[in-house]
Amino acid sequence: MLSQGTAVISNASVDGRAVGAFATYNLEQVEAVVAAGEQTELPVLLLAGSSHFRHANRRLLAVLALTAAEHARTEVGVHLDHCRDLDELRWCVEAGYSSVMYDGSHDPFEQNVAGTADAVRIAHDRGVWVEGELGAVGGDEDVSTGVRTGAMTDPQQAAEFVDRTGVDALAVAVGNVHGFSPDARLDLERLAEIRQAVSVPLVLHGASGLPAEEVRKAIKLGVAKINVNAELRRAYLDAAAAALPDLVEGADAVGMWRAGRQAVQQQVVETLLAYGT
């Protein structure tokens, strides 16, 4: 079923767990994420966002994700990730997305507040919940590796941001980066201060490569949504590369896609079991 309202993330926050939000660029990845949610009987979020639209036509990917969510045997949300365009955000809200993220984190504070507040007004009119971001999570969510951390979220500024914008969830920068970075470590003390300063659930982008115990501590400190992308890309590519030599002669593209889908599903299952219970 297609997730509705903020319960999927607010319940996770109350229960001390995190909902997995998984990047999708094509049919196989959408199928894999939904299948993993059904296998584990845990809620999942399909990330069909702004960077993904650079690869897949926005309308086609949105329809694909929404249709898969509506027919799933578990709760599946469809989330617009890292949107900086209010017209695009409005389009996704009207298309039926269950949640959206307005990313003004690279703008000056007042501009971020104004843009995020506009996004909240657009989305809340349709019952759609909104994630904002404060601080700078480094890297490109599609390809990044070895990225340095950006400016971290200030706890007191986070309180002001949440109060003035009315966001339902807040993505924070506490040492996390997009993609794999062997040197990335979470500032758990800062995260705890943010948790004390704001009442909304927190979101972690860029957990790839972080020690599992560190991520579990972050969940205990209020992180209720974790975005996953790099691990899925790596799982898909590794499986496709391994299968390809045996498939080339027969031009078996379906076999390659199947291998990638199965690998992504397994990765999502492992992530859900680690962070979703």
Side-chain angles (χ1 to χ4, degrees):
M1 71 195 83
L2 177 63
S3 177
Q4 299 291 339
T6 60
V8 66
I9 190 168
S10 59
N11 288 346
S13 181
V14 170
D15 295 343
R17 56 184 173 83
V19 177
F22 301 96
T24 57
Y25 297 81
N26 59 21
L27 170 64
E28 290 75 28
Q29 290 176 315
V30 168
E31 289 179 319
V33 174
V34 172
E38 293 176 336
Q39 181 179 335
T40 59
E41 299 183 337
L42 291 168
V44 295
L45 297 177
L46 292 168
L47 300 181
S50 295
S51 69
H52 312 144
F53 297 150
R54 293 200 296 263
H55 164 72
N57 176 275
R58 181 176 68 186
R59 183 179 300 276
L60 294 180
L61 183 59
V63 169
L64 175 61
L66 288 165
T67 302
E70 288 165 359
H71 292 87
R73 297 190 302 275
T74 191
E75 187 176 6
V76 179
V78 180
H79 182 78
L80 174 64
D81 196 33
H82 285 290
C83 179
R84 301 180 186 179
D85 182 339
L86 288 173
D87 288 335
E88 179 176 83
L89 184 140
R90 181 179 288 104
W91 187 96
C92 289
V93 166
E94 292 175 352
Y97 273 52
S98 52
S99 56
V100 294
M101 175 195 184
Y102 180 79
D103 182 2
S105 61
H106 298 282
D107 297 328
F109 180 72
E110 290 296 331
Q111 188 175 338
N112 188 1
V113 167
T116 305
D118 285 342
V120 168
R121 284 188 286 271
I122 292 168
H124 281 186
D125 282 347
R126 293 292 190 100
V128 173
W129 63 267
V130 181
E131 173 187 338
E133 182 171 333
L134 187 65
V137 179
D140 182 319
E141 57 268 24
D142 296 327
V143 297
S144 58
T145 57
V147 179
R148 293 183 180 274
T149 58
M152 294 196 189
T153 305
D154 177 83
Q156 296 311 309
Q157 196 174 52
E160 180 183 354
F161 181 82
V162 170
D163 181 62
R164 291 176 60 186
T165 60
V167 290
D168 305 288
L170 179 66
V172 295
V174 289
N176 45 310
V177 299
H178 289 116
F180 290 103
S181 178
D183 299 325
R185 288 294 181 271
L186 297 182
D187 185 340
L188 295 173
E189 182 176 343
R190 179 181 296 269
L191 183 60
E193 292 175 0
I194 296 169
R195 172 72 288 166
Q196 290 296 316
V198 306
S199 59
V200 299
L202 303 180
V203 178
L204 189 66
H205 292 242
S208 303
L210 290 172
E213 181 58 31
E214 199 166 283
V215 178
R216 283 193 285 270
K217 288 179 180 178
I219 293 171
K220 292 179 180 179
L221 291 172
V223 169
K225 171 177 173 282
I226 298 178
N227 283 26
V228 182
N229 189 337
E231 290 98 332
L232 307 189
R233 298 197 312 267
R234 179 167 289 181
Y236 191 101
L237 290 171
D238 287 350
L244 196 57
D246 295 329
L247 301 173
V248 168
E249 185 175 349
D252 185 3
V254 172
M256 184 187 70
W257 298 329
R258 183 186 302 114
R261 181 178 61 214
Q262 291 172 343
V264 171
Q265 180 178 340
Q266 182 58 38
Q267 182 63 56
V268 173
V269 166
E270 292 175 5
T271 300
L272 288 172
L273 294 179
Y275 305 143
T277 57

